[in-house]
Amino acid sequence: PPALGGSASAAGTNPEQLFAAGYSACFGSAVLHTARAQKINPGPVLVTANVSIGQAGKGFGLAVELVVDIPELARDQAEALIRAAHEVCPYSNATRGNIVVDLHLADAKS
């Protein structure tokens, strides 16, 4: 990333983008797994992971924002589902207590 001395115009994928792709795919699977376990049909699920990097003490650290779109569920049901998925997702378990992970629900029925 440019903030760490990288070139904004250089071609290629940085590690944060790869982590975001992996986390969003894994979290989407965790949402679907949790929905099946709860006998819920969530309809389409879209997860976007925004990963940032910054100073953490003498080194660097990551922060993640997961934006989950489950438009066919009521907001309260979708929020409960993503909280439950956060408990079983391997990426969430690997990062818990190490980095900030913010969960946000995108569009959902009220």
Side-chain angles (χ1 to χ4, degrees):
L4 298 177
S7 170
S9 62
T13 304
N14 67 44
E16 295 76 34
Q17 291 167 324
L18 294 172
F19 186 78
Y23 202 160
S24 60
C26 188
F27 197 82
S29 293
V31 170
L32 294 173
H33 168 80
T34 303
R36 278 191 305 274
Q38 296 180 6
K39 299 187 183 339
I40 296 171
N41 179 3
V45 174
L46 176 67
V47 180
T48 302
N50 300 305
V51 177
S52 59
I53 187 168
Q55 207 60 45
K58 293 183 180 183
F60 296 96
L62 300 174
V64 177
E65 174 193 39
L66 293 174
V67 181
V68 185
D69 190 6
I70 313 174
E72 293 184 14
L73 288 185
R75 177 166 290 280
D76 60 338
Q77 190 176 28
E79 287 174 345
L81 184 60
I82 65 172
R83 283 192 306 273
H86 190 48
E87 295 301 314
V88 300
C89 175
Y91 273 68
S92 294
N93 287 329
T95 60
R96 188 168 287 112
N98 298 316
I99 66 173
V100 173
V101 177
D102 290 322
L103 299 174
H104 298 284
L105 184 63
D107 299 324
K109 293 181 180 178
S110 298

